[in-house]
Every structure is written in structure tokens, then in C-alpha cells.
Amino acid sequence: MAAPWWFWVAFNAAVLLLLLLDLGLLTRRDRPIPVGEALLRSGGFFVLAMLFCAGVFAFYGETPELRAQKGFEFLTGYLIEWSLSVDNIFVFVLVFSHFQVPAQYQHRVLFWGIIGALAMRGTLILLGTALIQEFQWIMIGFGLFLIWSGWKMLRAVDEEPDLENNRVLGWVRGRFPVTETYQGDRFFVRREGRLFLTPLALVLVLIELTDLVFALDSIPAIFAITTDPFIVYTANVFAILGLRAMYFALAGVIHRFHYLKYGLSIVLMIVGAKMLANYVAGGKAVPVEYALMLTAAIIGGSMLLSLAKTAERPPAEAFREAWRGWVPFTRGRRREAGRK
């Protein structure tokens, strides 16, 4: 079914209001968001997503069976997108730590990062929907891409990214002058008639690049659950809206979730296999309820395993684990044998 036009208008108007509140009025000063406030904001976005999900179960569909199907599709898609957004946080911690971004400026980078992520995902969803409607066989390419992406992420879990030699940042530095130090929260400054980038602009480039590359994983992943563009779009938006608050809530304890990276990699490969099975079967080879339960079990299990494994680990050692992973267009160094 196709969502009526006023669904899109009402939803995007509500999103605009949330952006004005969360990214504008509620964060007007250059200060880090306290953990307690970040937890409240994250919880608020989760509650909004669940209320929207309840609305899908109740109203989105002409029959009770169709409404239930759409509700489970949204819930599964939201869980997958939310889980994959946590992987963004690992990268954010890596980037902000490496470039020593002052805490009071981080929210400005994430402000524009989220705006860019919403724009990019909206564009990719429209493109992906058009491609699937025109070329059904492209589902094979999406499925194989997800399996490859999950395998690549799994292999990179223990790699230490060489951010200083990131290829995209090297290209930017070679074409634009960059100031040696941060200039407050500014991305550009003018000196003697020349426009200079600041290190904060380089960080923003890397964050936007990460959002784009991760979107190339997450959008095909949710298309394995549903091809309804309204469900795909709304699940993505709810996952992204709470990303900034979730970063400030989890940044200090992200090292406790090291094994979540393994869970996310496995989920991507399973979703890719489901997409291939759907194409071969000519429909839903695996019921969406089963996909929801399996995804929840893998993500929840990897989080519990992480908390258990890191409970008695010294914080310094745990933080070293958090500094590993995959960053787009960045070479990684494998951990030396015997090194902790």
C-alpha cells in the first residue's frame, strides 16, 4: 500500500518541530550535554518511536492483518536501524578522541551531521525504492552487498584505524588551507582574504562521510524487511533523530559494548541472506516476526555478553578495545599477536 500524501506532510512537519526543539532551542549554548539529560532525550525519542509504532499497528492498513504486518515491519526496521546507528557512535568516539575535539563543540558537529544524515537517507530511500520497483533483480545485489559489508565489518573489529592518513581528509587538506588549531566552534575562518577550513570542518567531513557509508548499509538492510517507502523512511528518521542524544549518553561507556560490533556484523549478514531468500522465494521467505525475534536476540545477546565480559576489565584496557573498528576510507592495522 502507498501512504497518503498527508501522512508524509504530517510526519515531516512533526520531524521539523522535533529538530527545532532538540537541535536548536534545547541546545543553544556551547556546552556538552550532561549524561542525565542525554538519557532523558534518548528515552524521549524511543517513546515517540514506540507511540508511532502503536499508531502503525492501529491505523496503517485497510485490514487488521495488514496493520499488524506493517507494525511488525516498522518495529523490526527500527530495531535494525537503531542498532546500526550505535555503530556510528563507535566511530564518533574514535574521531572525536583522535582529533581531540573539545566537548563543548561536539554537539555542533553532530547537529550538522544529523541534518546531513537525514538528507542523505531520504535521497537513498527514494533512489532505492525506484530501483526496486523498476528492477526487482537488484535485490540480489543488495543482499550480496550486505553480506560483504557485514563480513568486512567483522574483520575490522580488531583493527586500529589510521585516522591521520584518512584518504578523504588527505584529499581535502591537499586542496584547501586548514588552520593549525580550533577556532572556537567555527568550520571556516577568513585570513588575509583567504578562506581557511578549521580542524572542526575536517571532523565534520569525516562524520558526514561515515553517515553516508553507514546509510549504504542500513538502507538495503531495511529493504530486506519491507519495501514500503513510508515505513523505511520513518524507521530511519526515528533512529537518526535520537542519535546525537544517544552519543552523549553512551560516549563515556561505549567501551562496555565492544562485542556489539560482532552482533551488528552478524545481523547485516543475516539480513543480506534474508534478502536473497526473499528474491528466490518470490516473497517473504522468512516471516517478519521471526526476523524481529532473531535480530533482537542477536543484538540483546551481544550487549549482555559485552557487559559481562567487560565488568572486571580495567577501564584503560576496555578503552583500547573501543579505539578499534572500521572507519570509512581509513586503513587499519591489525592488533599484534599477544597484545592485549
Side-chain angles (χ1 to χ4, degrees):
M1 63 171 291
W5 65 267
W6 63 268
F7 272 39
W8 292 91
V9 173
F11 182 78
N12 283 296
V15 168
L16 180 60
L17 178 61
L18 288 172
L19 287 173
L20 291 174
L21 288 173
D22 183 58
L23 304 182
L25 298 178
L26 297 180
T27 311
R28 301 174 70 176
R29 300 187 303 273
D30 285 339
R31 64 173 179 87
I33 299 176
V35 173
E37 181 182 334
L39 287 171
L40 286 175
R41 292 194 193 187
S42 295
F45 280 115
F46 176 77
V47 170
L48 287 175
M50 292 302 98
L51 289 174
F52 182 84
C53 182
V56 173
F57 272 106
F59 304 111
Y60 190 52
E62 297 177 354
T63 65
E65 293 77 13
L66 183 57
R67 290 193 290 270
Q69 176 188 332
K70 294 298 181 180
F72 279 117
E73 287 177 357
F74 175 85
L75 190 58
T76 306
Y78 174 73
L79 176 60
I80 290 174
E81 297 300 328
W82 180 87
S83 303
L84 292 174
S85 71
V86 175
D87 204 30
N88 288 47
I89 294 178
F90 284 105
V91 177
F92 294 167
V93 170
L94 276 169
V95 173
F96 287 151
S97 299
H98 176 82
F99 290 97
Q100 298 179 344
V101 180
Q104 66 268 30
Y105 303 148
Q106 292 176 7
H107 79 86
R108 178 169 168 80
V109 175
L110 294 177
F111 174 99
W112 292 108
I114 288 175
I115 296 295
L118 289 172
M120 287 185 289
R121 289 181 184 234
T123 302
L124 289 173
I125 288 168
L126 291 174
L127 178 60
T129 301
L131 288 174
I132 290 173
Q133 290 176 349
E134 193 70 25
F135 310 105
Q136 280 290 321
W137 53 263
I138 204 169
M139 300 289 279
I140 298 177
F142 283 168
L144 293 174
F145 175 76
L146 287 175
I147 294 172
W148 172 80
S149 185
W151 174 247
K152 177 189 63 178
M153 187 186 299
L154 187 64
R155 284 179 53 83
V157 166
D158 287 323
E159 288 186 350
E160 298 176 357
D162 184 12
L163 286 171
E164 196 60 36
N165 293 311
N166 178 275
R167 282 169 283 179
V168 172
L169 293 189
W171 183 88
V172 173
R173 287 191 181 108
R175 286 158 179 79
F176 302 96
V178 182
T179 62
E180 295 182 357
T181 60
Y182 290 100
Q183 305 295 309
D185 65 352
R186 301 173 68 181
F187 296 119
F188 310 95
V189 294
R190 188 171 292 278
R191 292 179 176 176
E192 299 178 355
R194 296 184 65 195
L195 192 65
F196 282 73
L197 301 182
T198 70
L200 203 64
L202 298 182
V203 173
L204 178 61
V205 168
L206 201 49
I207 294 297
E208 294 284 16
L209 180 66
T210 298
D211 287 334
L212 174 60
V213 173
F214 280 20
L216 295 176
D217 288 338
S218 63
I219 300 301
I222 195 172
F223 274 130
I225 305 301
T226 178
T227 56
D228 185 328
F230 187 69
I231 297 295
V232 174
Y233 178 72
T234 53
N236 265 274
V237 168
F238 273 115
I240 291 298
L241 281 178
L243 182 58
R244 189 178 72 143
M246 190 162 58
Y247 165 78
F248 287 104
L250 297 181
V253 294
I254 197 67
H255 60 283
R256 296 293 308 275
F257 296 97
H258 175 69
Y259 292 94
L260 180 59
K261 299 176 185 178
Y262 293 94
L264 295 174
S265 304
I266 294 170
V267 165
L268 276 181
M269 290 189 284
I270 290 176
V271 169
K274 180 181 183 301
M275 183 170 279
L276 294 176
N278 286 347
Y279 181 81
V280 172
K284 298 288 184 181
V286 180
V288 69
E289 298 90 334
Y290 294 169
L292 173 61
M293 289 188 291
L294 182 59
T295 301
I298 293 173
I299 297 302
S302 62
M303 293 177 72
L304 290 175
L305 178 63
S306 296
L307 293 173
K309 287 284 190 179
T310 58
E312 299 180 359
R313 182 179 297 177
E317 180 182 337
F319 269 112
R320 283 197 298 271
E321 295 286 348
W323 271 70
R324 300 190 179 102
W326 179 74
V327 178
F329 299 98
T330 304
R331 294 184 182 276
R333 297 185 293 268
R334 299 296 295 179
R335 182 168 47 177
E336 296 176 8
R339 182 179 173 184
K340 294 184 178 181

Coordinates of all heavy atoms in Angstrom, one line a residue, residues 139-140 143 147 224 270-286:
M139 N 17.6 -6.7 -5.9 CA 17.6 -7.2 -4.5 C 18.8 -8.2 -4.3 O 19.3 -8.3 -3.2 CB 16.3 -7.9 -4.2 CG 15.0 -7.0 -4.3 SD 14.9 -5.8 -2.9 CE 14.2 -6.9 -1.7
I140 N 19.2 -8.9 -5.4 CA 20.3 -9.8 -5.3 C 21.6 -9.0 -5.0 O 22.4 -9.4 -4.1 CB 20.5 -10.6 -6.6 CG1 19.3 -11.4 -6.9 CG2 21.8 -11.4 -6.6 CD1 19.3 -12.2 -8.2
G143 N 21.5 -7.8 -1.4 CA 21.7 -8.9 -0.4 C 23.2 -9.3 -0.4 O 23.8 -9.4 0.7
I147 N 25.9 -8.9 2.9 CA 26.8 -10.0 3.4 C 28.2 -9.6 3.3 O 29.0 -9.8 4.3 CB 26.5 -11.2 2.5 CG1 25.1 -11.7 2.7 CG2 27.6 -12.3 2.9 CD1 24.7 -12.9 1.8
A224 N 15.2 -5.3 3.2 CA 15.0 -6.7 3.3 C 13.8 -7.0 4.2 O 13.3 -8.2 4.1 CB 16.3 -7.4 3.9
I270 N 23.0 -11.8 8.1 CA 21.7 -12.5 8.1 C 20.7 -11.8 7.3 O 19.9 -12.4 6.6 CB 21.3 -12.7 9.6 CG1 22.2 -13.7 10.3 CG2 19.8 -13.2 9.6 CD1 21.9 -13.9 11.8
V271 N 20.6 -10.4 7.5 CA 19.6 -9.7 6.7 C 19.9 -9.8 5.2 O 19.0 -9.9 4.4 CB 19.7 -8.2 7.2 CG1 18.9 -7.3 6.2 CG2 19.1 -8.1 8.6
G272 N 21.2 -9.8 4.8 CA 21.6 -9.9 3.4 C 21.1 -11.3 2.9 O 20.6 -11.4 1.8
A273 N 21.3 -12.3 3.7 CA 20.8 -13.7 3.3 C 19.3 -13.7 3.2 O 18.8 -14.4 2.3 CB 21.3 -14.7 4.4
K274 N 18.6 -13.0 4.1 CA 17.2 -13.0 4.1 C 16.7 -12.3 2.8 O 15.7 -12.7 2.1 CB 16.6 -12.2 5.3 CG 15.1 -12.1 5.3 CD 14.6 -11.3 6.5 CE 13.1 -11.3 6.6 NZ 12.5 -10.7 5.4
M275 N 17.4 -11.2 2.4 CA 17.0 -10.5 1.1 C 17.2 -11.5 -0.1 O 16.3 -11.5 -1.0 CB 17.9 -9.3 1.0 CG 17.6 -8.4 -0.2 SD 18.4 -6.8 -0.2 CE 17.4 -5.9 0.9
L276 N 18.3 -12.2 -0.1 CA 18.5 -13.2 -1.2 C 17.4 -14.3 -1.2 O 16.8 -14.7 -2.2 CB 19.8 -13.8 -1.1 CG 21.0 -12.9 -1.3 CD1 22.3 -13.7 -1.1 CD2 21.0 -12.3 -2.7
A277 N 17.0 -14.8 0.0 CA 16.0 -15.8 0.1 C 14.6 -15.2 -0.3 O 13.9 -16.0 -0.9 CB 15.9 -16.3 1.6
N278 N 14.3 -14.0 0.1 CA 13.1 -13.4 -0.4 C 13.0 -13.3 -1.9 O 11.9 -13.6 -2.5 CB 13.0 -12.0 0.2 CG 12.7 -11.9 1.7 OD1 12.3 -13.0 2.3 ND2 12.8 -10.8 2.3
Y279 N 14.1 -13.0 -2.5 CA 14.1 -12.9 -4.0 C 13.9 -14.2 -4.6 O 13.1 -14.4 -5.6 CB 15.4 -12.3 -4.5 CG 15.4 -12.1 -6.0 CD1 14.8 -11.0 -6.6 CD2 16.1 -13.0 -6.8 CE1 14.8 -10.9 -8.0 CE2 16.1 -12.9 -8.2 CZ 15.4 -11.8 -8.8 OH 15.4 -11.7 -10.2
V280 N 14.6 -15.3 -4.1 CA 14.5 -16.6 -4.7 C 13.1 -17.1 -4.5 O 12.5 -17.8 -5.4 CB 15.5 -17.5 -4.0 CG1 15.3 -19.0 -4.5 CG2 16.9 -17.1 -4.4
A281 N 12.5 -16.9 -3.3 CA 11.2 -17.4 -3.0 C 10.0 -16.6 -3.6 O 8.9 -17.0 -3.6 CB 11.0 -17.4 -1.5
G282 N 10.4 -15.4 -4.1 CA 9.4 -14.6 -4.7 C 8.4 -13.9 -3.7 O 7.3 -13.5 -4.1
G283 N 8.9 -13.8 -2.5 CA 8.1 -13.1 -1.5 C 8.8 -13.2 -0.1 O 10.0 -13.2 -0.1
K284 N 8.0 -13.2 0.9 CA 8.6 -13.2 2.3 C 9.0 -14.6 2.6 O 8.2 -15.4 3.1 CB 7.6 -12.7 3.3 CG 7.3 -11.2 3.1 CD 8.4 -10.3 3.4 CE 8.0 -8.8 3.3 NZ 9.1 -7.9 3.6
A285 N 10.3 -15.0 2.4 CA 10.8 -16.3 2.7 C 10.8 -16.5 4.2 O 10.6 -17.6 4.7 CB 12.2 -16.5 2.1
V286 N 11.1 -15.5 5.0 CA 11.2 -15.6 6.5 C 10.1 -14.5 7.0 O 10.3 -13.4 6.7 CB 12.6 -15.2 7.0 CG1 12.6 -15.3 8.5 CG2 13.6 -16.2 6.4

